[in-house]
Each structure stands twice: as C-alpha cells, then as structure tokens.
Amino acid sequence: MSALVATPVLVPLATVALTALAAGRPRLQQVLSGLGSLALLLCALLLLGQVEGGEGARLAFGNWPAPFGIEFHVDRLSAALVLVTALMGSASLLFLASDADPGRRHPLLLPLLHGLLVGVGGAFVTADLFNLYVWFEVMLICALGLLALGARPDQLDGAFKYMVLNLLGTLLLLISVGAVYAATGHLNFTALSQAAPSLPPALAAVLLTALLLSLLLKSGAFPLYAWLPASYHTLPGPVLALCAGLLTKVGVYAVLRLTGDVFAPVPALLPEALGWIACATMLFGVLGAAYHWDMRRILAFHIVSQIGYILLAIALDSAAGNRAALFYTVHHIVVKATLFLLAAMIWRYTGSYDLRRIGGLFRARPRLALLFMVPALSLVGIPPLSGFWAKLVVLQEALARGHYAWTAVALLVSVLTLYSMMKIWMEAFWKDHPQKGWSLPRNTRLAPAWCATLSLAAVTLWISFAPQALLAYAEAAALSLGGGR
Amino acid sequence: MKRRVVMLEAAAGPLYWVILGSSLWVLLRGHNEPGGGFIGGLLAVSASILWAVSHGSGAARRRLPLKDPLRLAAAGVLLAGFSGLPAWLGGQPYLTHLWGKLPLGFMEYKVSTVLLFDLGVYACVWGALAGYALALLELDEGPPEEERR
C-alpha cells in the first residue's frame, strides 16, 4: 500500500493541528501528543517492514505522475531515518513529562515539537528537490518558534543568531534549487539523476557545489557552524535533545542523498573538498568543546565534531562509505539525544549545567553515573559500544581508499572526545560537590526521564552487541543508492 | 483608551461583509481562473485588519470563526488534510481529487474535494496571518482592558 508513504508527514501534521486546537486544555493536549507520537512510531515500523524486502515504496500526490507531480519515495535509507525520528520524538515527549529542565509550558510547545517532526519526516521521504527545500523551511520555522517560546533575553539572542545564519542557508538553497531547475528542467530526483549526465561538467559541478554549500550550512559543518553552539544551549532540555538529535542530521542526509544517489557519480573534486571540510569540522568542533564548562555547550560542539565523521564517510564516495554514513547517523542520533537528556537529569539533581558548580553525583546516584557512561563512551568509540563499530567502518573504508591524513585526524579527534566526556564525568559525578553540605533535591519527578533515557541506552546497547543487523541493513541501503550501482 | 473614529467605524460595518463576500467569491472562482484559497484568505485577513483598526484587535479576534486565530488555522490544516482522504479510501493516491456535478436548474455547479482543500487553505491563511496582524496591531493599543470598553 502506498498509503503508508505519506504518514511520516501526515501523522505529525494531524497531531500539530489537533494539539493546536486543544491549546487551552493541557491534559487533552498531552494525551493527543502522546497518541500522535505512538502512531508515528507504529507507521514508521510498518514502513520499515514494507521496504525491507524490495524496491521501496512510492507515492505520487494527487495522481500527478513524476516528473511533473511531487513524489514521496521511501527506500531503506529513508525508512531507517524515519524510524529513528519517530523514536526520538517519542523519547523526548516522554521525557517532557518529568520535571528535568522542562522549560516554560507554553500552549504552543507541543504543536511546534510535532511541527519539527513534520519537517524532518518530510525531508527524509521526499523525492523532489523543491519539496526538500520546503521541509527545511518548515523545520526552520518550528525550531525558531521553539527557541523564542521562552522569551528570555538569551533565548531571543540565540533565536536571532539561528535565524540569520539559517535564513542565509535557506536562501542559498532556494537559489541553487532554482538554478538546477533552470539547467535541467526537472526537480524530481529520478528525473534529475537521468538528466544530470548530459549537463556540461563544469555547470554540474557549480550547481552541485552551491547546493552542497547551503546544505553544509544547515548541517553545521566548518566554517559556518557558529549558529549551532550559539543558540542550542538556550533550549529547554528535552526540546534540545530532539533538535540536537535530528536537525543537523537532515542536512547531512540531504548531502548523502544528493552526492551518493541523485547526482552520483559526482565530479572527483567534490568528495575531495568535502573530506577536508569534514576534517576541519571534526577538529574545530572538538576543540570548541574542550574550552567550555557548560554541559550543553560541550555537547553542542560535539554535534559539530560528529557531523564531521558522517561527512567524512560520505566524502569517501563509495557504497561502503555510504553504508558507514547511515550506520554512523543512526548511532549518532540516538547517542547524542541520550547525552542531552542525561545532562537535563544532572541539572535536575544538582541545579546547574555548569560543571564548575556541580559534583558529587557518583555517591548520590551511582546508577546515573553508570548510565551516563554508555552514551559517553559510545560517542568516543570505546569497544564494544556502538560508536566503536561506527568509527571502525568509517576508518576501514578511509584506509582502504588511501586517505591516511583523514584517518589520522579522525583518530586524534577521538582522543580529544574522550577528554571532553571524561571532563563531564569527572566534574559532574566523581569530584565532590563544591558546596559544603549539598544534598539531592527532594520531590523530584524523574520516572519518565529514567524511562526515556534507559530505553535509548538500550537501543545503543542493542546496536553495540548486535551491530551485524544494522550493518547488513545499511549495506543493503547503500547498495540500492545510485552510488552503489 | 483608543480614540474612536466615527466615520471609519460606520464604514467598517458594511465594508467588512463586502470584503468577506468578495474573498469567498475569489475562493470559489479559483478553480479555473486566478484566485483560490490563498488569495481569498489574504482578502479575509484584510477584513479582519479593517475591523481591528476601527474597533480594536480584541473585537476583531472575537469576530473570527472559532473566535481564535490559532484554532481557525489548525482547523484549516485539518480540513485540507482531510480532503485527500476520500481518494485514499477509493484506492487512489492521497490528494487525488474527486469531482461531481450539482445541478442547480439554470446551471451545473462542479463540486469536488478540491473545494474542501481550498477552504482549508483559506481558513489556515486567514487564521495564521490574522493572528500575526492582530498581535502586531495590539502592540499599539496599550493594555487590553482599556480597549474593551
């Protein structure tokens, strides 16, 4: 049934409208939002089951056939990312029911969160270049709304920086989509991939470079990543986890889709440039993180650094590289969101995100300290956790392609990542609380938060101990892309 | 306290309905000629703005269908999304529109699910943009207790 293909957009869109209608009644709004996220999760699972066997599922809206109408196309790559999106949405909404840094309860909070899921889901399933731009716009508007909801001066400051740099990227994306349309007369992915080889090579390179520049800005790659650490830390915890997990990864997905599938094979200069950009992204992200003491800022800089690894995998420009990119993306979304959620729980227990003002949690909450180790060490890439397998597949392919310099940078960045994670662990858990006579706050309501983080950690552990399932899936996904043909 | 402008208030009464009527006409002619839900919605927003300038934004907000711009916009999104479902049940791709004819004696009027979609867009544009415009106009009016005289 092609009916399922539209659900990654339609289910959250219906939830947006229903939660907005119920804006005056918080309880009803929460019930609707919970039901909406569960429905999305169910649809994503069904969709994954449907595409796993074969070609993938297509839907031409309004029965206007491609290349004229707008198509959604779900293949293995899209289905996996939609499922992770639904999982992250459910986990963040569950976490929102706890009292760990929930932020101000604005009646528009839940509609905007689901609106974010609409944009992310749409970007993952669309098979139309202009439609892709529209979903980026939807994400931008919702993220901007979420940033500005609290109306604190620092949030408005962050929202302004976020808006200026992202609008620049959106404009560049729109201009380059227009230029692609002018050059080829197509926007549909399949039609583009057939029309691209007949373009003059120089023109194709210029068009693709413009597209990639705007998408790299959206993914927070070097040198235009400043908007990300400047704005993310002003968001409330669960919202931050959702944005951090998903938003930049949509940009990376679009880079992968365009270079590895639609326009594959790309001119040789492009992957080479992308590889160096990836190295700079890794390095500058991790160095920024080493400087900061606010947990949210440290983790935000690590998003940038990890984006570098995924871009590196894409820059390898091979089926094995694309496989590694998908594996890394799934691992990274789960781990990153867990880390932000755990940081919000640490905030609830100790009262601050600033590592200099907190401590003593190991004695008070040893299980939280152990739980934190799972995503933290996985992010670093300590075996046998999921990050180890993710880095292994990236670096194996980098070495096989003879990119020794890129491999060296990636290994160096891993060591620096270990330093940051250990900094958080030592400061928040191991050392004594700087305030004498500090004790845990009473009356915390953290059961939903434990539930959400434990299930995400369980997903990480599943990837860690049974990586073969995800690796095989990612391989099949990469082989069905244009780059693997 | 907002200053009253009697001439504007008197003119706004009939003009409000004239603008709303023409917005509906633009909405309905949109199938084959310039017009449709988006432009019709924009015209309806201008009616709301007229009412806000002459009688205050609170009064204009109470005049909206469903009494609230956010609810109006959300209902529009639901209606537009719903208009694609009948095709789905008939086994066709989502948003494939179904057409029928309504004999009126002197002419035949074409009815379709496209009209539902257009109505949804109309409500969504009216709600969303009127929400922005009324909130901005409110900034000039001072505290809301004063303008509700």
Side-chain angles (χ1 to χ4, degrees):
Chain A
M1 268 289 277
S2 68
L4 267 178
V5 177
T7 51
V9 169
L10 284 186
V11 172
L13 188 65
T15 319
V16 170
L18 290 173
T19 47
L21 280 177
R25 285 187 280 176
R27 287 223 76 97
L28 177 65
Q29 204 188 21
Q30 269 186 352
V31 170
L32 285 172
S33 145
L35 285 179
S37 65
L38 284 182
L40 180 62
L41 198 58
L42 184 70
C43 289
L45 277 171
L46 289 175
L47 203 53
L48 187 80
Q50 190 184 347
V51 301
E52 206 182 1
E55 268 289 283
R58 280 178 188 277
L59 169 70
F61 280 95
N63 221 357
W64 296 99
F68 307 109
I70 290 174
E71 260 195 329
F72 275 9
H73 177 208
V74 181
D75 57 3
R76 290 188 183 85
L77 175 63
S78 303
L81 292 173
V82 167
L83 180 60
V84 179
T85 305
L87 188 67
M88 288 305 118
S90 306
S92 303
L93 287 168
L94 178 63
F95 195 93
L96 209 54
S98 74
D99 59 354
D101 196 15
R104 198 171 132 231
R105 272 326 267 249
H106 194 282
L108 276 179
L109 176 70
L110 291 173
L112 281 171
L113 271 177
H114 285 280
L116 202 68
L117 294 180
V118 173
V120 175
F124 283 149
V125 296
T126 187
D128 186 280
L129 199 55
F130 184 77
N131 205 230
L132 183 71
Y133 157 79
V134 172
W135 297 123
F136 270 109
E137 198 82 318
V138 170
M139 273 186 290
L140 173 62
I141 290 170
C142 292
L144 210 53
L146 287 169
L147 275 166
L149 267 193
R152 289 200 319 260
D154 64 323
Q155 286 176 323
L156 294 181
D157 178 60
F160 182 71
K161 288 170 183 159
Y162 185 89
M163 184 181 77
V164 170
L165 274 172
N166 272 283
L167 269 186
L168 193 72
T170 310
L171 262 180
L172 184 59
L173 183 60
L174 182 60
I175 292 169
S176 37
V177 168
V180 168
Y181 183 66
T184 61
H186 289 299
L187 290 168
N188 184 275
F189 283 173
T190 318
L192 276 177
S193 69
Q194 283 159 4
S198 56
L199 283 178
L203 180 63
V206 168
L207 290 177
L208 203 51
T209 308
L211 274 177
L212 289 189
L213 274 182
S214 58
L215 293 174
L216 286 176
L217 198 159
K218 295 266 167 197
S219 12
F222 178 84
L224 284 172
Y225 58 82
W227 57 269
L228 195 156
S231 58
Y232 270 20
H233 68 277
T234 60
L235 285 167
V239 182
L240 171 59
L242 191 66
C243 289
L246 296 176
L247 287 188
T248 47
K249 262 55 75 181
V250 180
V252 173
Y253 159 81
V255 172
L256 173 60
R257 177 65 79 188
L258 292 185
T259 59
D261 187 18
V262 177
F263 290 101
V266 291
L269 189 65
L270 241 67
E272 188 74 22
L274 190 62
W276 288 110
I277 290 176
C279 286
T281 310
M282 278 191 266
L283 206 57
F284 280 83
V286 86
L287 289 178
Y291 166 78
H292 280 285
W293 288 93
D294 184 315
M295 277 187 286
R296 293 167 301 180
R297 281 187 190 251
I298 296 178
L299 292 174
F301 269 107
H302 274 294
I303 303 176
V304 175
S305 146
Q306 300 287 311
I307 289 293
Y309 279 97
I310 309 177
L311 288 177
L312 182 67
I314 299 172
L316 297 173
D317 195 26
S318 66
N322 293 344
R323 174 186 80 150
L326 174 58
F327 189 92
Y328 208 113
T329 308
V330 172
H331 139 77
H332 170 67
I333 292 177
V334 176
V335 161
K336 199 83 237 180
T338 322
L339 279 172
F340 275 108
L341 292 179
L342 285 170
M345 286 171 78
I346 295 175
W347 174 88
R348 183 67 190 92
Y349 279 130
T350 60
S352 175
Y353 279 109
D354 191 333
L355 288 173
R356 285 167 294 196
R357 284 197 225 138
I358 62 177
L361 261 185
F362 186 74
R363 206 165 294 158
R365 280 280 175 274
R367 263 168 281 175
L368 187 66
L370 275 182
L371 182 59
F372 186 82
M373 290 299 249
V374 173
L377 293 182
S378 178
L379 190 78
V380 181
I382 304 284
L385 292 164
S386 60
F388 169 70
W389 304 111
K391 285 189 176 163
L392 185 71
V393 284
V394 175
L395 295 184
Q396 258 180 351
E397 179 63 10
L399 284 176
R401 302 245 137 200
H403 294 298
Y404 301 112
W406 298 355
T407 315
V409 174
L411 286 173
L412 174 70
V413 170
S414 283
V415 177
L416 291 172
T417 311
L418 179 65
Y419 163 72
S420 291
M421 289 300 121
M422 283 304 102
K423 179 159 105 183
I424 297 183
W425 203 82
M426 296 299 283
E427 297 286 328
F429 292 101
W430 196 244
K431 79 160 194 250
D432 286 328
H433 200 284
Q435 218 174 314
K436 288 272 176 262
W438 166 84
S439 64
L440 282 178
R442 257 165 276 160
N443 304 327
T444 52
R445 198 175 69 246
L446 284 175
W450 278 100
C451 224
T453 45
L454 277 174
S455 31
L456 288 182
V459 174
T460 306
L461 287 176
W462 173 72
I463 302 176
S464 309
F465 292 110
Q468 203 52 43
L470 185 56
L471 274 176
Y473 182 90
E475 177 137 31
L479 286 177
S480 66
L481 292 181
R485 270 178 233 137
Chain B
M1 178 102 183
K2 192 174 147 35
R3 256 185 64 217
R4 296 186 60 176
V5 186
V6 180
M7 297 258 280
L8 185 63
E9 275 184 33
L15 259 183
Y16 185 78
W17 294 109
V18 170
I19 299 178
L20 272 193
S22 58
S23 82
L24 275 179
W25 177 69
V26 168
L27 164 76
L28 289 178
R29 90 197 266 267
H31 289 313
N32 301 316
E33 287 169 278
F38 193 84
I39 303 176
L42 288 181
L43 269 174
V45 173
S46 68
S48 287
I49 292 177
L50 174 69
W51 201 261
V53 170
S54 58
H55 293 81
S57 357
R61 188 168 291 129
R62 283 191 293 280
R63 281 214 148 198
L64 288 174
L66 302 177
K67 313 269 183 257
D68 178 60
L70 177 67
R71 294 223 307 259
L72 178 60
V77 170
L78 271 189
L79 186 61
F82 172 78
S83 74
L85 291 182
W88 211 349
L89 297 180
Q92 282 174 299
Y94 182 71
L95 281 182
T96 307
H97 287 292
L98 311 173
W99 292 81
K101 281 183 181 152
L102 192 69
L104 291 178
F106 59 97
M107 63 173 282
E108 275 187 334
Y109 188 73
K110 285 186 191 157
V111 283
S112 64
T113 52
V114 179
L115 191 61
L116 282 184
F117 187 82
D118 263 350
L119 266 175
V121 173
Y122 179 88
C124 182
V125 170
W126 191 5
L129 293 186
Y132 280 118
L134 298 187
L136 286 175
L137 284 172
E138 214 161 33
L139 293 179
D140 261 357
E141 287 174 4
E145 301 83 31
E146 283 184 18
E147 55 103 0
R148 255 183 230 149
R149 44 180 174 262

